[in-house]
Amino acid sequence: MEILKFILALIVLGLVIYGGYLLYLWWIARNSAQMIEATELEALRAGAQIVDVRETPEFEARHILGARNIPMSQFKQRQAEVRRDKPVYLYDEDGNLAPRCARILKKNGHDNVFILKNGFSTWGGKVKSRK
């Protein structure tokens, strides 16, 4: 019976930690960027500065038409590639990486940073794929 209590306590602790992480991501996104819906991004897509922060294989398989790839793993080193004079629209697969990238941009003087709400998984617009 004691082992079951211990396992249950570990599960609860894990859920609390994961919930705290999600709350942290929400706070970062809220303070670093505006969340936009896929329909808004579709309307602004032409000529926009759209950055996919997923890793390169995911980007190459399928991405928003006109987006460029700066993977999260390289974002700090490559952030200078993002223009400050134009709004930047960030996205990842499900909305977990883009807030961290938005925070990096905000700390380095970018004012117009937007995140695709719920990430690429909600995108219904034009895409480019390897197929």
Side-chain angles (χ1 to χ4, degrees), residues 20-38:
Y21 174 70
L22 291 178
L23 185 61
Y24 173 71
L25 289 178
W26 172 82
W27 182 84
I28 288 175
R30 184 172 176 263
N31 291 301
S32 301
Q34 284 185 307
M35 302 298 279
I36 63 168
E37 299 288 336

Side-chain angles (χ1 to χ4, degrees), residues 1-87:
M1 195 51 119
E2 290 297 319
I3 192 78
L4 289 176
K5 287 182 182 179
F6 179 73
I7 291 172
L8 183 60
L10 284 178
I11 291 171
V12 169
L13 180 62
L15 289 173
V16 168
I17 290 171
Y18 183 68
Y21 174 70
L22 291 178
L23 185 61
Y24 173 71
L25 289 178
W26 172 82
W27 182 84
I28 288 175
R30 184 172 176 263
N31 291 301
S32 301
Q34 284 185 307
M35 302 298 279
I36 63 168
E37 299 288 336
T39 53
E40 294 175 79
L41 182 55
E42 177 63 23
L44 300 167
R45 190 178 60 76
Q49 185 175 210
I50 303 172
V51 180
D52 185 326
V53 300
R54 299 175 301 160
E55 293 302 314
T56 303
E58 293 171 291
F59 174 81
E60 289 175 350
R62 193 164 185 248
H63 61 271
I64 294 174
L65 187 63
R68 69 171 186 235
N69 185 226
I70 304 177
M72 175 63 197
S73 61
Q74 302 170 14
F75 204 83
K76 281 187 181 180
Q77 295 82 11
R78 295 180 56 195
Q79 65 172 310
E81 296 174 28
V82 180
R83 293 177 56 174
R84 290 175 199 251
D85 62 333
K86 293 177 71 176

